[in-house]
Amino acid sequence: MGFDYNSLLAFIIFGVTIGVVYGIVALGISLIYSGLDIVHFAHGEMYMFGAFFGLVLAHNVGVPYPIALIGAMVLTALLGMAVERVFYRRLTRAGGGYTVAGMGMIICGFGMSVALVNVAYFIWGAEAEPFRANLDYIPRLSFPGDIEVPESYVLTAIISVALMAALHYFLRHTKTGLAVRAVAHNKDIAYLMGINVPLMISLIFGLACGLAAAAGVLIGPMQSVQVEMGYLMLMKAFAAAVVGGFGSLPGAILGGIMVGVFENLGAAYISPSHKDIYAFLLLILVLMFKPSGLLGVEAKVKA
Amino acid sequence: MLQINDVHAGYGNLKILRGVNMQVPTGGIVTLLGGNGTGKSTLLKAVSGLIPLMEGEVLFDGVSISKMKPHERMRLGLVQVTQAKEAYPAMTVEENLVLGAYTRRDRAGILADLERVYEFFPVLRERRKQLSGTLSGGEVQMLVIGRGLMAKPKMLMLDEPSAALAPKVVLEIFANINRIAKTGVTILVVEQNVRMALILAQYGYIIRDGVIMIEGEAKKLISDPAVKESFLGGSVANTAKALRN
């Protein structure tokens, strides 16, 4: 029997779709890193909360899926901003700003991750819940060779690309986006330009958490929504961010797609039970040959 | 326009400024001179609000700004031009300039000022789509001054505009600072280049070890042996003495 190119193509298509979701979570991690110089370890929990917010909106409140998506993004953005204001910012008040507060910030991020998981247990319990979304109005995509791509994957690809495009437009072509980039590069100078730096930091955090929430709501209908889901996503998104070059926004997307494709191919051709290992295998390979990541430069690339 | 009363400031427990008193009158050019580590940059940061005051007070247009955040002080028209190395290298020249006008909402005014900056510094117009990281030292200095002008300042504070530049470029930059002052912008220029700064300014202060040692009209300071002594001669004499011991 010859090599089945159709199934290879299918694995790649599914890999890319799941990969862009890793990409948008990684985008948030990179955004926070380049903007605030902190590695946000509670980002997986933002993704999880986003998924639950979407679930509650779609099932309990009964709004249509797209509204649930937007609602979850807004709620999670607010949650992220509140967490940053109440917890992380206190660490920077001690002086030195985000860069100097580094280690405390990492520990605070870990603590926040544990705390948020437990809050979620308390509210939603430990059981995995299926996310039923009515997506009948989205067409299934058919590729030559009997490859059918389900609605939720089509939707995921469309929305992820739209979010990336919107973020790109915001950062490159709006005045506030310019201010965000200025804050990312140097907070003192941004202050001297008259930019309200604390407000921009809130905005960066809100954006990043909103992106994570979108990923959660998009993944929801494919898998199920569960309190522990954030941990693995954080790891994969980190792998994606590092593969692409930490702090680089295009790199985050590229890294996400590579991780998605790599793990799908690994699961298909090596062993499906070790699916979650392949992302890290890719990470190790990239770190061996190009430690700054694929699109990273020696110094970190700023948004 | 700017009044600095008995300002003490520093970093953490390290006090650098120990009671600085200065005035910058409206419409004038005042220079603050001092060597490395004398407190010049610390004073600028204290005035623009990047570091808090430990004691004392800063008044701008008669209003105390000591408790204001940096972006609030900037909105009053007190604009600090950062050192040249602090342009945003990953942004284009024009993006840097537009960022300078971040607080303004008058589109037409911003465009007119952009044009004005390009008239002051034609080289910036040529390079406006270029990343500012690719500019020469002199061009970046022009860029940060231009960026300061975009904020429509009442007063510009310049942090060592001559640093690390060739004499010919320094002359061009200082000539432009003079032209900017003629348009009615009050200027405080912090410098190590004593001669150039005293030729440009009407009044000078000399800071050492966090206090003002000498002040006076620039014309008089330029020929004052005490200035040479405190600024250059002093340190040279001390070094020579130290060498001989």
Side-chain angles (χ1 to χ4, degrees):
Chain A
M1 201 180 114
F3 186 74
D4 183 359
Y5 285 100
N6 282 340
S7 52
L8 174 67
L9 184 63
F11 293 133
I12 291 176
I13 291 170
F14 286 106
V16 169
T17 320
I18 207 82
V20 287
V21 179
Y22 295 153
I24 55 178
V25 179
L27 209 50
I29 291 172
S30 272
L31 202 58
I32 291 177
Y33 176 72
S34 64
L36 284 71
D37 292 307
I38 66 169
V39 177
H40 189 219
F41 280 103
H43 213 64
E45 278 58 49
M46 292 299 159
Y47 159 79
M48 178 266 290
F49 263 87
F52 270 107
F53 285 147
L55 187 81
V56 167
L57 286 171
H59 289 188
N60 302 15
V61 183
V63 299
Y65 183 77
I67 309 286
L69 176 77
I70 294 167
M73 286 178 73
V74 171
L75 287 174
T76 312
L78 293 175
L79 175 70
M81 284 152 108
V83 164
E84 193 272 329
R85 261 281 145 94
V86 177
F87 297 97
Y88 300 154
R89 193 161 301 179
R90 278 172 204 279
L91 287 171
T92 66
R93 292 244 174 84
Y98 281 92
T99 313
V100 173
M103 198 59 209
M105 205 62 93
I106 286 175
I107 293 166
C108 191
F110 266 122
M112 189 51 58
S113 162
V114 175
L116 287 174
V117 165
N118 284 286
V119 169
Y121 266 127
F122 187 70
I123 305 174
W124 291 296
E127 258 141 77
E129 289 193 45
F131 195 137
R132 296 178 305 276
N134 175 19
L135 300 171
D136 291 342
Y137 47 89
I138 309 285
R140 278 176 172 258
L141 270 191
S142 296
F143 283 86
D146 284 341
I147 303 167
E148 282 254 311
V149 182
E151 300 90 338
S152 56
Y153 282 76
V154 176
L155 188 73
T156 298
I158 294 172
I159 291 180
S160 303
V161 171
L163 285 173
M164 288 167 190
L167 184 70
H168 178 84
Y169 180 84
F170 169 72
L171 288 176
R172 288 285 149 188
H173 299 285
T174 69
K175 204 170 163 187
T176 314
L178 193 63
V180 166
R181 284 159 59 205
V183 171
H185 182 75
N186 186 321
K187 281 158 205 62
D188 276 359
I189 309 174
Y191 259 129
L192 295 179
M193 298 294 112
I195 294 167
N196 188 340
V197 175
L199 189 71
M200 288 302 141
I201 286 175
S202 285
L203 182 67
I204 291 173
F205 231 87
L207 271 177
C209 293
L211 286 173
V217 179
L218 290 172
I219 289 279
M222 297 182 199
Q223 301 166 2
S224 53
V225 178
Q226 199 249 337
V227 168
E228 302 275 359
M229 71 197 276
Y231 171 72
L232 205 55
M233 176 52 96
L234 178 77
M235 292 296 148
K236 300 260 178 79
F238 258 120
V242 175
V243 165
F246 217 87
S248 156
L249 301 187
I253 298 166
L254 178 70
I257 292 173
M258 285 189 65
V259 168
V261 171
F262 203 74
E263 75 175 12
N264 256 302
L265 294 181
Y269 294 109
I270 305 173
S271 152
S273 55
H274 297 104
K275 187 171 179 237
D276 295 329
I277 291 177
Y278 304 118
F280 307 109
L281 195 61
L282 176 69
L283 176 65
I284 290 166
L285 283 175
V286 168
L287 286 179
M288 278 169 71
F289 295 106
K290 196 159 187 309
S292 54
L294 295 175
L295 297 185
V297 283
E298 291 303 310
K300 72 184 179 186
V301 176
K302 287 296 196 173
Chain B
M1 174 162 275
L2 183 73
Q3 196 159 354
I4 299 169
N5 296 333
D6 190 34
V7 160
H8 295 243
Y11 308 92
N13 290 327
L14 181 67
K15 189 185 265 195
I16 299 203
L17 302 177
R18 295 173 297 154
V20 173
N21 290 291
M22 276 179 69
Q23 276 93 40
V24 182
T26 306
I29 305 181
V30 170
T31 183
L32 173 66
L33 300 165
N36 281 326
T38 50
K40 300 188 308 290
S41 295
T42 311
L43 183 66
L44 275 193
K45 283 183 189 165
V47 173
S48 60
L50 292 178
I51 56 170
L53 301 186
M54 293 168 175
E55 273 174 60
E57 196 181 26
V58 180
L59 300 173
F60 184 66
D61 265 349
V63 182
S64 172
I65 56 169
S66 314
K67 296 268 182 289
M68 288 186 185
K69 291 246 159 59
H71 60 95
E72 293 163 345
R73 300 183 194 202
M74 188 267 187
R75 276 161 210 240
L76 295 177
L78 177 63
V79 173
Q80 182 186 340
V81 170
T82 58
Q83 291 198 350
K85 58 179 188 271
E86 290 169 339
Y88 286 110
M91 291 182 192
T92 65
V93 167
E94 194 150 292
E95 280 178 325
N96 263 285
L97 292 174
V98 169
L99 197 61
Y102 178 76
T103 53
R104 296 169 59 185
R105 295 282 171 267
D106 52 327
R107 260 193 102 74
I110 292 171
L111 286 177
D113 277 354
L114 197 59
E115 202 51 38
R116 192 164 71 112
V117 170
Y118 286 148
E119 266 158 41
F120 273 124
F121 307 109
V123 66
L124 295 183
R125 189 200 301 274
E126 283 165 38
R127 307 217 185 284
R128 65 183 208 277
K129 296 287 170 211
Q130 234 169 286
L131 292 185
S132 64
T134 65
L135 300 185
S136 74
E139 289 162 354
V140 180
Q141 185 58 55
M142 295 175 199
L143 176 61
V144 291
I145 294 175
R147 191 170 66 182
L149 279 179
M150 290 300 293
K152 216 172 197 174
K154 287 184 192 160
M155 177 172 165
L156 268 186
M157 298 189 288
L158 298 145
D159 194 356
E160 293 198 36
S162 77
L165 296 181
K168 199 177 139 221
V169 184
V170 173
L171 199 62
E172 189 189 339
I173 298 223
F174 273 52
N176 272 307
I177 295 172
N178 201 27
R179 280 166 65 202
I180 292 166
K182 290 224 165 73
T183 66
V185 180
T186 305
I187 286 178
L188 171 63
V189 54
V190 168
E191 261 302 341
Q192 298 210 42
N193 189 334
V194 183
R195 251 189 93 72
M196 281 300 291
L198 287 176
I199 291 169
L200 174 77
Q202 288 113 33
Y203 202 86
Y205 290 87
I206 289 162
I207 189 171
R208 200 163 153 194
D209 296 330
V211 286
I212 300 294
M213 301 288 288
I214 305 170
E215 63 173 285
E217 291 194 18
K219 288 199 283 282
K220 287 183 185 146
L221 288 184
I222 211 160
S223 53
D224 187 343
V227 172
K228 259 186 202 154
E229 178 66 21
S230 86
F231 193 80
L232 290 167
S235 60
V236 171
N238 288 342
T239 315
K241 209 191 284 171
L243 273 176
R244 266 180 242 117
N245 288 342

